[in-house]
Amino acid sequence: MTALPRTTALDVVLSYHRAWTSGDMDRAMTRVAEDIVCRAPGQDLVGKDAYRAFLAGFAPLLTGLTDVAGVADGDDHVLLFYYPHTSTTSTALAAERFTVQDGAIVENLLVFDRLSFAPPGAP
Amino acid sequence: MTALPRTTALDVVLSYHRAWTSGDMDRAMTRVAEDIVCRAPGQDLVGKDAYRAFLAGFAPLLTGLTDVAGVADGDDHVLLFYYPHTSTTSTALAAERFTVQDGAIVENLLVFDRLSFAPPGAP
């Protein structure tokens, strides 16, 4: 053992994930590239400001979290599955496929079922 | 090299995935356990018959496929991300987290955005 391994894509993503799901948006954003592209259900978010605004709209609704899987796919990609808990549901899965370059997240392919997170009784 | 490796969970899932997405439901179901549980958006499917009926409702709508990721998570789990193409969309992500036991899929945590797959103009 001569040196610590470099920060992996999985390290970057898990750090990001832990930060935003604990409400620390500033720390989460240190792991996100300025030119991030996020493909979310029904909309694409381009750039860090748009991405932060999107995430900041959801984060306050989070009441808990059940992590299911977090796995590297080669050197540059990471796959996450988890159950975000909100007042509406704790059984609606979310999945993300991240691309990491130079230690920052440059792409996030995000999937969740919007209907499952709608408030009860919403049309 | 003395022997071929045993069939892995990834082999099982990719065989299943290729089969149903090419319309071969019979072959796909050879990879599915009788007591499969599938957690899908808005509903849980318990047992192979219910699962087959669910999948058979969607498979005929499939016009193509873009695979994004397929990765083993340990010996028993596999994560898939892909874009199913339908007449409505080819940019709505689907993700699945499979559990494989004794060569068959026993659990599928499935996420997609139901609204993205709704027919255009649907309420």
Side-chain angles (χ1 to χ4, degrees), chain A residues 41 68-69 71-73 79 81 83 93 95-97 109 111-116, chain B residues 41 68-69 71 73 79 81 83 93 95-97 109 111-116:
Chain A
V68 174
V71 176
D73 179 11
L79 313 179
F81 285 69
Y83 290 101
L93 193 64
E96 297 177 278
R97 188 261 198 175
L109 307 182
V111 58
F112 60 89
D113 177 48
R114 285 176 284 175
L115 287 174
S116 293
Chain B
V68 174
V71 176
D73 179 12
L79 313 179
F81 284 69
Y83 290 102
L93 193 63
E96 296 176 279
R97 189 262 199 175
L109 307 181
V111 58
F112 59 89
D113 177 48
R114 285 177 284 175
L115 287 175
S116 294

PDB file of all heavy atoms in Angstrom, chain A residues 41 68-69 71-73 79 81 83 93 95-97 109 111-116, chain B residues 41 68-69 71 73 79 81 83 93 95-97 109 111-116:
ATOM      1  N   PRO A  41     -38.132  12.936 -15.603  1.00  0.00           N
ATOM      2  CA  PRO A  41     -39.439  12.655 -16.197  1.00  0.00           C
ATOM      3  C   PRO A  41     -40.140  13.938 -16.660  1.00  0.00           C
ATOM      4  O   PRO A  41     -40.389  14.835 -15.853  1.00  0.00           O
ATOM      5  CB  PRO A  41     -40.210  11.991 -15.052  1.00  0.00           C
ATOM      6  CG  PRO A  41     -39.150  11.324 -14.238  1.00  0.00           C
ATOM      7  CD  PRO A  41     -37.992  12.294 -14.283  1.00  0.00           C
ATOM      8  N   VAL A  68     -31.419   1.222  -1.908  1.00  0.00           N
ATOM      9  CA  VAL A  68     -31.578  -0.143  -2.419  1.00  0.00           C
ATOM     10  C   VAL A  68     -30.300  -0.631  -3.091  1.00  0.00           C
ATOM     11  O   VAL A  68     -29.865  -1.762  -2.855  1.00  0.00           O
ATOM     12  CB  VAL A  68     -32.752  -0.212  -3.425  1.00  0.00           C
ATOM     13  CG1 VAL A  68     -32.849  -1.585  -4.079  1.00  0.00           C
ATOM     14  CG2 VAL A  68     -34.063   0.146  -2.730  1.00  0.00           C
ATOM     15  N   ALA A  69     -29.707   0.197  -3.923  1.00  0.00           N
ATOM     16  CA  ALA A  69     -28.507  -0.220  -4.638  1.00  0.00           C
ATOM     17  C   ALA A  69     -27.700   0.995  -5.056  1.00  0.00           C
ATOM     18  O   ALA A  69     -28.256   2.050  -5.378  1.00  0.00           O
ATOM     19  CB  ALA A  69     -28.883  -1.034  -5.874  1.00  0.00           C
ATOM     20  N   VAL A  71     -24.080   1.195  -7.397  1.00  0.00           N
ATOM     21  CA  VAL A  71     -23.079   0.363  -8.054  1.00  0.00           C
ATOM     22  C   VAL A  71     -22.378   1.145  -9.155  1.00  0.00           C
ATOM     23  O   VAL A  71     -23.026   1.871  -9.917  1.00  0.00           O
ATOM     24  CB  VAL A  71     -23.763  -0.874  -8.670  1.00  0.00           C
ATOM     25  CG1 VAL A  71     -22.778  -1.727  -9.453  1.00  0.00           C
ATOM     26  CG2 VAL A  71     -24.420  -1.707  -7.587  1.00  0.00           C
ATOM     27  N   ALA A  72     -21.084   0.968  -9.249  1.00  0.00           N
ATOM     28  CA  ALA A  72     -20.339   1.535 -10.368  1.00  0.00           C
ATOM     29  C   ALA A  72     -20.549   0.692 -11.616  1.00  0.00           C
ATOM     30  O   ALA A  72     -20.653  -0.534 -11.544  1.00  0.00           O
ATOM     31  CB  ALA A  72     -18.855   1.591 -10.027  1.00  0.00           C
ATOM     32  N   ASP A  73     -20.614   1.377 -12.751  1.00  0.00           N
ATOM     33  CA  ASP A  73     -20.684   0.708 -14.050  1.00  0.00           C
ATOM     34  C   ASP A  73     -19.487   1.222 -14.851  1.00  0.00           C
ATOM     35  O   ASP A  73     -19.563   2.275 -15.485  1.00  0.00           O
ATOM     36  CB  ASP A  73     -22.013   1.054 -14.738  1.00  0.00           C
ATOM     37  CG  ASP A  73     -22.154   0.406 -16.100  1.00  0.00           C
ATOM     38  OD1 ASP A  73     -21.348  -0.478 -16.447  1.00  0.00           O
ATOM     39  OD2 ASP A  73     -23.091   0.793 -16.833  1.00  0.00           O
ATOM     40  N   LEU A  79     -24.876   3.690 -10.895  1.00  0.00           N
ATOM     41  CA  LEU A  79     -26.313   3.439 -10.876  1.00  0.00           C
ATOM     42  C   LEU A  79     -26.802   3.437  -9.425  1.00  0.00           C
ATOM     43  O   LEU A  79     -26.226   2.752  -8.586  1.00  0.00           O
ATOM     44  CB  LEU A  79     -26.616   2.083 -11.511  1.00  0.00           C
ATOM     45  CG  LEU A  79     -25.936   1.779 -12.854  1.00  0.00           C
ATOM     46  CD1 LEU A  79     -26.327   0.378 -13.343  1.00  0.00           C
ATOM     47  CD2 LEU A  79     -26.285   2.809 -13.898  1.00  0.00           C
ATOM     48  N   PHE A  81     -30.391   3.088  -6.964  1.00  0.00           N
ATOM     49  CA  PHE A  81     -31.823   2.823  -6.754  1.00  0.00           C
ATOM     50  C   PHE A  81     -32.132   3.134  -5.299  1.00  0.00           C
ATOM     51  O   PHE A  81     -31.402   2.705  -4.408  1.00  0.00           O
ATOM     52  CB  PHE A  81     -32.165   1.349  -7.009  1.00  0.00           C
ATOM     53  CG  PHE A  81     -32.217   0.941  -8.452  1.00  0.00           C
ATOM     54  CD1 PHE A  81     -31.074   0.877  -9.221  1.00  0.00           C
ATOM     55  CD2 PHE A  81     -33.424   0.580  -9.045  1.00  0.00           C
ATOM     56  CE1 PHE A  81     -31.114   0.483 -10.555  1.00  0.00           C
ATOM     57  CE2 PHE A  81     -33.479   0.180 -10.383  1.00  0.00           C
ATOM     58  CZ  PHE A  81     -32.326   0.137 -11.137  1.00  0.00           C
ATOM     59  N   TYR A  83     -35.623   4.411  -2.417  1.00  0.00           N
ATOM     60  CA  TYR A  83     -36.988   4.850  -2.151  1.00  0.00           C
ATOM     61  C   TYR A  83     -36.931   6.163  -1.386  1.00  0.00           C
ATOM     62  O   TYR A  83     -36.566   6.171  -0.200  1.00  0.00           O
ATOM     63  CB  TYR A  83     -37.744   3.823  -1.312  1.00  0.00           C
ATOM     64  CG  TYR A  83     -38.079   2.546  -2.043  1.00  0.00           C
ATOM     65  CD1 TYR A  83     -37.330   1.393  -1.862  1.00  0.00           C
ATOM     66  CD2 TYR A  83     -39.154   2.508  -2.924  1.00  0.00           C
ATOM     67  CE1 TYR A  83     -37.644   0.222  -2.543  1.00  0.00           C
ATOM     68  CE2 TYR A  83     -39.475   1.336  -3.598  1.00  0.00           C
ATOM     69  CZ  TYR A  83     -38.714   0.210  -3.404  1.00  0.00           C
ATOM     70  OH  TYR A  83     -39.017  -0.951  -4.076  1.00  0.00           O
ATOM     71  N   LEU A  93     -40.200   3.838  -6.170  1.00  0.00           N
ATOM     72  CA  LEU A  93     -38.769   3.733  -6.450  1.00  0.00           C
ATOM     73  C   LEU A  93     -38.274   4.915  -7.286  1.00  0.00           C
ATOM     74  O   LEU A  93     -39.003   5.430  -8.143  1.00  0.00           O
ATOM     75  CB  LEU A  93     -38.546   2.430  -7.216  1.00  0.00           C
ATOM     76  CG  LEU A  93     -37.137   1.898  -7.392  1.00  0.00           C
ATOM     77  CD1 LEU A  93     -36.506   1.537  -6.043  1.00  0.00           C
ATOM     78  CD2 LEU A  93     -37.165   0.647  -8.288  1.00  0.00           C
ATOM     79  N   ALA A  95     -34.627   5.860  -9.577  1.00  0.00           N
ATOM     80  CA  ALA A  95     -33.365   5.318 -10.070  1.00  0.00           C
ATOM     81  C   ALA A  95     -32.632   6.405 -10.845  1.00  0.00           C
ATOM     82  O   ALA A  95     -33.258   7.242 -11.510  1.00  0.00           O
ATOM     83  CB  ALA A  95     -33.609   4.101 -10.959  1.00  0.00           C
ATOM     84  N   GLU A  96     -31.317   6.392 -10.716  1.00  0.00           N
ATOM     85  CA  GLU A  96     -30.490   7.387 -11.393  1.00  0.00           C
ATOM     86  C   GLU A  96     -29.272   6.706 -11.982  1.00  0.00           C
ATOM     87  O   GLU A  96     -28.661   5.840 -11.361  1.00  0.00           O
ATOM     88  CB  GLU A  96     -30.034   8.469 -10.403  1.00  0.00           C
ATOM     89  CG  GLU A  96     -31.178   9.273  -9.809  1.00  0.00           C
ATOM     90  CD  GLU A  96     -30.705  10.293  -8.780  1.00  0.00           C
ATOM     91  OE1 GLU A  96     -30.498   9.900  -7.623  1.00  0.00           O
ATOM     92  OE2 GLU A  96     -30.552  11.461  -9.141  1.00  0.00           O
ATOM     93  N   ARG A  97     -28.930   7.141 -13.185  1.00  0.00           N
ATOM     94  CA  ARG A  97     -27.710   6.662 -13.826  1.00  0.00           C
ATOM     95  C   ARG A  97     -26.839   7.894 -14.093  1.00  0.00           C
ATOM     96  O   ARG A  97     -27.168   8.735 -14.924  1.00  0.00           O
ATOM     97  CB  ARG A  97     -28.041   5.940 -15.125  1.00  0.00           C
ATOM     98  CG  ARG A  97     -26.844   5.246 -15.773  1.00  0.00           C
ATOM     99  CD  ARG A  97     -26.276   6.086 -16.891  1.00  0.00           C
ATOM    100  NE  ARG A  97     -25.441   5.260 -17.775  1.00  0.00           N
ATOM    101  CZ  ARG A  97     -24.904   5.735 -18.897  1.00  0.00           C
ATOM    102  NH1 ARG A  97     -25.120   6.973 -19.281  1.00  0.00           N
ATOM    103  NH2 ARG A  97     -24.145   4.951 -19.632  1.00  0.00           N
ATOM    104  N   LEU A 109     -29.369  10.596 -15.614  1.00  0.00           N
ATOM    105  CA  LEU A 109     -30.603  10.059 -16.192  1.00  0.00           C
ATOM    106  C   LEU A 109     -31.446   9.592 -15.012  1.00  0.00           C
ATOM    107  O   LEU A 109     -31.089   8.630 -14.333  1.00  0.00           O
ATOM    108  CB  LEU A 109     -30.305   8.904 -17.145  1.00  0.00           C
ATOM    109  CG  LEU A 109     -29.278   9.178 -18.251  1.00  0.00           C
ATOM    110  CD1 LEU A 109     -29.122   7.948 -19.145  1.00  0.00           C
ATOM    111  CD2 LEU A 109     -29.663  10.393 -19.070  1.00  0.00           C
ATOM    112  N   VAL A 111     -35.132   8.584 -13.206  1.00  0.00           N
ATOM    113  CA  VAL A 111     -36.489   8.089 -13.433  1.00  0.00           C
ATOM    114  C   VAL A 111     -37.212   7.869 -12.121  1.00  0.00           C
ATOM    115  O   VAL A 111     -36.657   7.320 -11.162  1.00  0.00           O
ATOM    116  CB  VAL A 111     -36.499   6.805 -14.307  1.00  0.00           C
ATOM    117  CG1 VAL A 111     -35.681   5.686 -13.691  1.00  0.00           C
ATOM    118  CG2 VAL A 111     -37.931   6.346 -14.585  1.00  0.00           C
ATOM    119  N   PHE A 112     -38.432   8.382 -12.070  1.00  0.00           N
ATOM    120  CA  PHE A 112     -39.368   8.090 -10.989  1.00  0.00           C
ATOM    121  C   PHE A 112     -40.757   8.240 -11.589  1.00  0.00           C
ATOM    122  O   PHE A 112     -40.914   8.783 -12.689  1.00  0.00           O
ATOM    123  CB  PHE A 112     -39.152   9.025  -9.780  1.00  0.00           C
ATOM    124  CG  PHE A 112     -39.324  10.476 -10.079  1.00  0.00           C
ATOM    125  CD1 PHE A 112     -40.552  11.102  -9.986  1.00  0.00           C
ATOM    126  CD2 PHE A 112     -38.223  11.243 -10.493  1.00  0.00           C
ATOM    127  CE1 PHE A 112     -40.700  12.458 -10.275  1.00  0.00           C
ATOM    128  CE2 PHE A 112     -38.359  12.605 -10.797  1.00  0.00           C
ATOM    129  CZ  PHE A 112     -39.601  13.205 -10.686  1.00  0.00           C
ATOM    130  N   ASP A 113     -41.735   7.722 -10.897  1.00  0.00           N
ATOM    131  CA  ASP A 113     -43.110   7.786 -11.388  1.00  0.00           C
ATOM    132  C   ASP A 113     -43.792   9.005 -10.795  1.00  0.00           C
ATOM    133  O   ASP A 113     -44.125   9.017  -9.603  1.00  0.00           O
ATOM    134  CB  ASP A 113     -43.853   6.502 -11.000  1.00  0.00           C
ATOM    135  CG  ASP A 113     -45.307   6.544 -11.433  1.00  0.00           C
ATOM    136  OD1 ASP A 113     -45.574   6.902 -12.595  1.00  0.00           O
ATOM    137  OD2 ASP A 113     -46.180   6.242 -10.592  1.00  0.00           O
ATOM    138  N   ARG A 114     -44.019  10.021 -11.622  1.00  0.00           N
ATOM    139  CA  ARG A 114     -44.575  11.270 -11.082  1.00  0.00           C
ATOM    140  C   ARG A 114     -45.906  11.048 -10.378  1.00  0.00           C
ATOM    141  O   ARG A 114     -46.180  11.660  -9.344  1.00  0.00           O
ATOM    142  CB  ARG A 114     -44.730  12.295 -12.216  1.00  0.00           C
ATOM    143  CG  ARG A 114     -43.403  12.908 -12.641  1.00  0.00           C
ATOM    144  CD  ARG A 114     -43.572  13.848 -13.818  1.00  0.00           C
ATOM    145  NE  ARG A 114     -43.766  13.126 -15.080  1.00  0.00           N
ATOM    146  CZ  ARG A 114     -44.033  13.716 -16.247  1.00  0.00           C
ATOM    147  NH1 ARG A 114     -44.170  15.032 -16.302  1.00  0.00           N
ATOM    148  NH2 ARG A 114     -44.172  12.993 -17.347  1.00  0.00           N
ATOM    149  N   LEU A 115     -46.722  10.156 -10.922  1.00  0.00           N
ATOM    150  CA  LEU A 115     -48.033   9.917 -10.305  1.00  0.00           C
ATOM    151  C   LEU A 115     -47.908   9.396  -8.874  1.00  0.00           C
ATOM    152  O   LEU A 115     -48.734   9.707  -8.014  1.00  0.00           O
ATOM    153  CB  LEU A 115     -48.835   8.916 -11.141  1.00  0.00           C
ATOM    154  CG  LEU A 115     -49.401   9.417 -12.464  1.00  0.00           C
ATOM    155  CD1 LEU A 115     -50.036   8.260 -13.225  1.00  0.00           C
ATOM    156  CD2 LEU A 115     -50.428  10.521 -12.237  1.00  0.00           C
ATOM    157  N   SER A 116     -46.887   8.598  -8.625  1.00  0.00           N
ATOM    158  CA  SER A 116     -46.732   8.015  -7.289  1.00  0.00           C
ATOM    159  C   SER A 116     -46.379   9.058  -6.237  1.00  0.00           C
ATOM    160  O   SER A 116     -46.615   8.843  -5.044  1.00  0.00           O
ATOM    161  CB  SER A 116     -45.636   6.945  -7.297  1.00  0.00           C
ATOM    162  OG  SER A 116     -46.015   5.840  -8.074  1.00  0.00           O
TER     163      SER A 116
ATOM    164  N   PRO B  41     -44.847   0.602 -10.792  1.00  0.00           N
ATOM    165  CA  PRO B  41     -45.495   1.859 -10.404  1.00  0.00           C
ATOM    166  C   PRO B  41     -46.997   1.674 -10.203  1.00  0.00           C
ATOM    167  O   PRO B  41     -47.712   1.263 -11.119  1.00  0.00           O
ATOM    168  CB  PRO B  41     -45.206   2.775 -11.601  1.00  0.00           C
ATOM    169  CG  PRO B  41     -43.915   2.261 -12.147  1.00  0.00           C
ATOM    170  CD  PRO B  41     -44.022   0.762 -11.992  1.00  0.00           C
ATOM    171  N   VAL B  68     -29.209   1.144 -21.958  1.00  0.00           N
ATOM    172  CA  VAL B  68     -28.313   2.144 -21.371  1.00  0.00           C
ATOM    173  C   VAL B  68     -27.288   1.491 -20.448  1.00  0.00           C
ATOM    174  O   VAL B  68     -26.108   1.787 -20.512  1.00  0.00           O
ATOM    175  CB  VAL B  68     -29.120   3.213 -20.596  1.00  0.00           C
ATOM    176  CG1 VAL B  68     -28.196   4.178 -19.855  1.00  0.00           C
ATOM    177  CG2 VAL B  68     -30.035   3.965 -21.540  1.00  0.00           C
ATOM    178  N   ALA B  69     -27.749   0.592 -19.592  1.00  0.00           N
ATOM    179  CA  ALA B  69     -26.843  -0.042 -18.641  1.00  0.00           C
ATOM    180  C   ALA B  69     -27.405  -1.381 -18.200  1.00  0.00           C
ATOM    181  O   ALA B  69     -28.620  -1.552 -18.090  1.00  0.00           O
ATOM    182  CB  ALA B  69     -26.629   0.859 -17.429  1.00  0.00           C
ATOM    183  N   VAL B  71     -25.874  -4.149 -15.275  1.00  0.00           N
ATOM    184  CA  VAL B  71     -24.752  -4.377 -14.379  1.00  0.00           C
ATOM    185  C   VAL B  71     -25.154  -5.304 -13.243  1.00  0.00           C
ATOM    186  O   VAL B  71     -26.250  -5.169 -12.687  1.00  0.00           O
ATOM    187  CB  VAL B  71     -24.262  -3.035 -13.789  1.00  0.00           C
ATOM    188  CG1 VAL B  71     -23.151  -3.243 -12.782  1.00  0.00           C
ATOM    189  CG2 VAL B  71     -23.802  -2.103 -14.888  1.00  0.00           C
ATOM    190  N   ASP B  73     -24.928  -6.537  -9.419  1.00  0.00           N
ATOM    191  CA  ASP B  73     -24.677  -5.966  -8.099  1.00  0.00           C
ATOM    192  C   ASP B  73     -24.530  -7.154  -7.156  1.00  0.00           C
ATOM    193  O   ASP B  73     -25.521  -7.684  -6.655  1.00  0.00           O
ATOM    194  CB  ASP B  73     -25.856  -5.066  -7.712  1.00  0.00           C
ATOM    195  CG  ASP B  73     -25.686  -4.437  -6.334  1.00  0.00           C
ATOM    196  OD1 ASP B  73     -24.576  -4.512  -5.768  1.00  0.00           O
ATOM    197  OD2 ASP B  73     -26.671  -3.865  -5.825  1.00  0.00           O
ATOM    198  N   LEU B  79     -28.930  -4.726 -12.204  1.00  0.00           N
ATOM    199  CA  LEU B  79     -29.570  -3.439 -12.458  1.00  0.00           C
ATOM    200  C   LEU B  79     -29.592  -3.179 -13.961  1.00  0.00           C
ATOM    201  O   LEU B  79     -28.565  -3.296 -14.624  1.00  0.00           O
ATOM    202  CB  LEU B  79     -28.785  -2.315 -11.769  1.00  0.00           C
ATOM    203  CG  LEU B  79     -28.381  -2.559 -10.308  1.00  0.00           C
ATOM    204  CD1 LEU B  79     -27.579  -1.369  -9.773  1.00  0.00           C
ATOM    205  CD2 LEU B  79     -29.591  -2.806  -9.440  1.00  0.00           C
ATOM    206  N   PHE B  81     -30.984  -0.343 -16.990  1.00  0.00           N
ATOM    207  CA  PHE B  81     -31.576   0.925 -17.424  1.00  0.00           C
ATOM    208  C   PHE B  81     -31.741   0.851 -18.936  1.00  0.00           C
ATOM    209  O   PHE B  81     -30.811   0.449 -19.637  1.00  0.00           O
ATOM    210  CB  PHE B  81     -30.648   2.112 -17.108  1.00  0.00           C
ATOM    211  CG  PHE B  81     -30.616   2.534 -15.667  1.00  0.00           C
ATOM    212  CD1 PHE B  81     -30.039   1.729 -14.700  1.00  0.00           C
ATOM    213  CD2 PHE B  81     -31.134   3.759 -15.286  1.00  0.00           C
ATOM    214  CE1 PHE B  81     -29.989   2.128 -13.371  1.00  0.00           C
ATOM    215  CE2 PHE B  81     -31.086   4.174 -13.953  1.00  0.00           C
ATOM    216  CZ  PHE B  81     -30.515   3.359 -12.997  1.00  0.00           C
ATOM    217  N   TYR B  83     -34.259   2.593 -22.501  1.00  0.00           N
ATOM    218  CA  TYR B  83     -35.367   3.379 -23.041  1.00  0.00           C
ATOM    219  C   TYR B  83     -36.234   2.465 -23.894  1.00  0.00           C
ATOM    220  O   TYR B  83     -35.818   2.075 -24.978  1.00  0.00           O
ATOM    221  CB  TYR B  83     -34.847   4.524 -23.907  1.00  0.00           C
ATOM    222  CG  TYR B  83     -34.166   5.624 -23.136  1.00  0.00           C
ATOM    223  CD1 TYR B  83     -32.781   5.723 -23.100  1.00  0.00           C
ATOM    224  CD2 TYR B  83     -34.907   6.577 -22.459  1.00  0.00           C
ATOM    225  CE1 TYR B  83     -32.153   6.746 -22.394  1.00  0.00           C
ATOM    226  CE2 TYR B  83     -34.288   7.602 -21.750  1.00  0.00           C
ATOM    227  CZ  TYR B  83     -32.911   7.674 -21.724  1.00  0.00           C
ATOM    228  OH  TYR B  83     -32.293   8.677 -21.027  1.00  0.00           O
ATOM    229  N   LEU B  93     -37.170   6.901 -19.582  1.00  0.00           N
ATOM    230  CA  LEU B  93     -36.301   5.859 -19.046  1.00  0.00           C
ATOM    231  C   LEU B  93     -37.097   4.819 -18.241  1.00  0.00           C
ATOM    232  O   LEU B  93     -38.082   5.158 -17.594  1.00  0.00           O
ATOM    233  CB  LEU B  93     -35.267   6.525 -18.137  1.00  0.00           C
ATOM    234  CG  LEU B  93     -34.052   5.751 -17.678  1.00  0.00           C
ATOM    235  CD1 LEU B  93     -33.173   5.343 -18.857  1.00  0.00           C
ATOM    236  CD2 LEU B  93     -33.215   6.609 -16.709  1.00  0.00           C
ATOM    237  N   ALA B  95     -36.118   1.563 -15.443  1.00  0.00           N
ATOM    238  CA  ALA B  95     -35.036   0.937 -14.682  1.00  0.00           C
ATOM    239  C   ALA B  95     -35.606  -0.229 -13.885  1.00  0.00           C
ATOM    240  O   ALA B  95     -36.751  -0.179 -13.421  1.00  0.00           O
ATOM    241  CB  ALA B  95     -34.366   1.951 -13.754  1.00  0.00           C
ATOM    242  N   GLU B  96     -34.801  -1.277 -13.774  1.00  0.00           N
ATOM    243  CA  GLU B  96     -35.226  -2.472 -13.055  1.00  0.00           C
ATOM    244  C   GLU B  96     -34.083  -2.972 -12.190  1.00  0.00           C
ATOM    245  O   GLU B  96     -32.930  -2.993 -12.618  1.00  0.00           O
ATOM    246  CB  GLU B  96     -35.632  -3.577 -14.041  1.00  0.00           C
ATOM    247  CG  GLU B  96     -36.849  -3.217 -14.878  1.00  0.00           C
ATOM    248  CD  GLU B  96     -37.180  -4.288 -15.909  1.00  0.00           C
ATOM    249  OE1 GLU B  96     -36.526  -4.308 -16.977  1.00  0.00           O
ATOM    250  OE2 GLU B  96     -38.089  -5.100 -15.670  1.00  0.00           O
ATOM    251  N   ARG B  97     -34.437  -3.414 -11.007  1.00  0.00           N
ATOM    252  CA  ARG B  97     -33.471  -4.025 -10.103  1.00  0.00           C
ATOM    253  C   ARG B  97     -33.980  -5.438  -9.797  1.00  0.00           C
ATOM    254  O   ARG B  97     -34.997  -5.614  -9.121  1.00  0.00           O
ATOM    255  CB  ARG B  97     -33.342  -3.192  -8.834  1.00  0.00           C
ATOM    256  CG  ARG B  97     -32.193  -3.638  -7.922  1.00  0.00           C
ATOM    257  CD  ARG B  97     -32.698  -4.524  -6.812  1.00  0.00           C
ATOM    258  NE  ARG B  97     -31.741  -4.571  -5.719  1.00  0.00           N
ATOM    259  CZ  ARG B  97     -31.981  -5.199  -4.571  1.00  0.00           C
ATOM    260  NH1 ARG B  97     -33.140  -5.796  -4.358  1.00  0.00           N
ATOM    261  NH2 ARG B  97     -31.076  -5.214  -3.633  1.00  0.00           N
ATOM    262  N   LEU B 109     -37.874  -4.918  -8.998  1.00  0.00           N
ATOM    263  CA  LEU B 109     -38.274  -3.570  -8.608  1.00  0.00           C
ATOM    264  C   LEU B 109     -38.187  -2.725  -9.870  1.00  0.00           C
ATOM    265  O   LEU B 109     -37.095  -2.476 -10.389  1.00  0.00           O
ATOM    266  CB  LEU B 109     -37.350  -3.022  -7.521  1.00  0.00           C
ATOM    267  CG  LEU B 109     -37.158  -3.906  -6.283  1.00  0.00           C
ATOM    268  CD1 LEU B 109     -36.241  -3.211  -5.272  1.00  0.00           C
ATOM    269  CD2 LEU B 109     -38.491  -4.254  -5.647  1.00  0.00           C
ATOM    270  N   VAL B 111     -39.224   0.650 -12.213  1.00  0.00           N
ATOM    271  CA  VAL B 111     -39.662   2.049 -12.181  1.00  0.00           C
ATOM    272  C   VAL B 111     -39.674   2.631 -13.585  1.00  0.00           C
ATOM    273  O   VAL B 111     -38.749   2.431 -14.372  1.00  0.00           O
ATOM    274  CB  VAL B 111     -38.800   2.906 -11.218  1.00  0.00           C
ATOM    275  CG1 VAL B 111     -37.323   2.877 -11.579  1.00  0.00           C
ATOM    276  CG2 VAL B 111     -39.312   4.342 -11.162  1.00  0.00           C
ATOM    277  N   PHE B 112     -40.774   3.278 -13.894  1.00  0.00           N
ATOM    278  CA  PHE B 112     -40.892   4.104 -15.092  1.00  0.00           C
ATOM    279  C   PHE B 112     -41.931   5.171 -14.761  1.00  0.00           C
ATOM    280  O   PHE B 112     -42.651   5.063 -13.756  1.00  0.00           O
ATOM    281  CB  PHE B 112     -41.289   3.266 -16.327  1.00  0.00           C
ATOM    282  CG  PHE B 112     -42.591   2.538 -16.183  1.00  0.00           C
ATOM    283  CD1 PHE B 112     -43.789   3.134 -16.547  1.00  0.00           C
ATOM    284  CD2 PHE B 112     -42.634   1.238 -15.670  1.00  0.00           C
ATOM    285  CE1 PHE B 112     -45.003   2.459 -16.394  1.00  0.00           C
ATOM    286  CE2 PHE B 112     -43.839   0.557 -15.516  1.00  0.00           C
ATOM    287  CZ  PHE B 112     -45.028   1.171 -15.884  1.00  0.00           C
ATOM    288  N   ASP B 113     -41.984   6.191 -15.569  1.00  0.00           N
ATOM    289  CA  ASP B 113     -42.918   7.292 -15.334  1.00  0.00           C
ATOM    290  C   ASP B 113     -44.178   7.038 -16.150  1.00  0.00           C
ATOM    291  O   ASP B 113     -44.171   7.190 -17.375  1.00  0.00           O
ATOM    292  CB  ASP B 113     -42.269   8.612 -15.742  1.00  0.00           C
ATOM    293  CG  ASP B 113     -43.222   9.782 -15.596  1.00  0.00           C
ATOM    294  OD1 ASP B 113     -43.858   9.887 -14.523  1.00  0.00           O
ATOM    295  OD2 ASP B 113     -43.339  10.575 -16.542  1.00  0.00           O
ATOM    296  N   ARG B 114     -45.255   6.671 -15.467  1.00  0.00           N
ATOM    297  CA  ARG B 114     -46.476   6.306 -16.207  1.00  0.00           C
ATOM    298  C   ARG B 114     -46.950   7.431 -17.111  1.00  0.00           C
ATOM    299  O   ARG B 114     -47.412   7.178 -18.225  1.00  0.00           O
ATOM    300  CB  ARG B 114     -47.580   5.911 -15.216  1.00  0.00           C
ATOM    301  CG  ARG B 114     -47.358   4.531 -14.614  1.00  0.00           C
ATOM    302  CD  ARG B 114     -48.418   4.194 -13.580  1.00  0.00           C
ATOM    303  NE  ARG B 114     -48.182   4.895 -12.324  1.00  0.00           N
ATOM    304  CZ  ARG B 114     -49.000   4.855 -11.279  1.00  0.00           C
ATOM    305  NH1 ARG B 114     -50.120   4.151 -11.356  1.00  0.00           N
ATOM    306  NH2 ARG B 114     -48.720   5.493 -10.157  1.00  0.00           N
ATOM    307  N   LEU B 115     -46.828   8.673 -16.660  1.00  0.00           N
ATOM    308  CA  LEU B 115     -47.296   9.802 -17.474  1.00  0.00           C
ATOM    309  C   LEU B 115     -46.547   9.887 -18.802  1.00  0.00           C
ATOM    310  O   LEU B 115     -47.130  10.262 -19.817  1.00  0.00           O
ATOM    311  CB  LEU B 115     -47.111  11.118 -16.708  1.00  0.00           C
ATOM    312  CG  LEU B 115     -48.067  11.378 -15.559  1.00  0.00           C
ATOM    313  CD1 LEU B 115     -47.665  12.650 -14.833  1.00  0.00           C
ATOM    314  CD2 LEU B 115     -49.505  11.495 -16.069  1.00  0.00           C
ATOM    315  N   SER B 116     -45.271   9.535 -18.802  1.00  0.00           N
ATOM    316  CA  SER B 116     -44.478   9.639 -20.036  1.00  0.00           C
ATOM    317  C   SER B 116     -44.918   8.641 -21.089  1.00  0.00           C
ATOM    318  O   SER B 116     -44.685   8.840 -22.286  1.00  0.00           O
ATOM    319  CB  SER B 116     -42.986   9.425 -19.740  1.00  0.00           C
ATOM    320  OG  SER B 116     -42.471  10.468 -18.947  1.00  0.00           O
TER     321      SER B 116
END
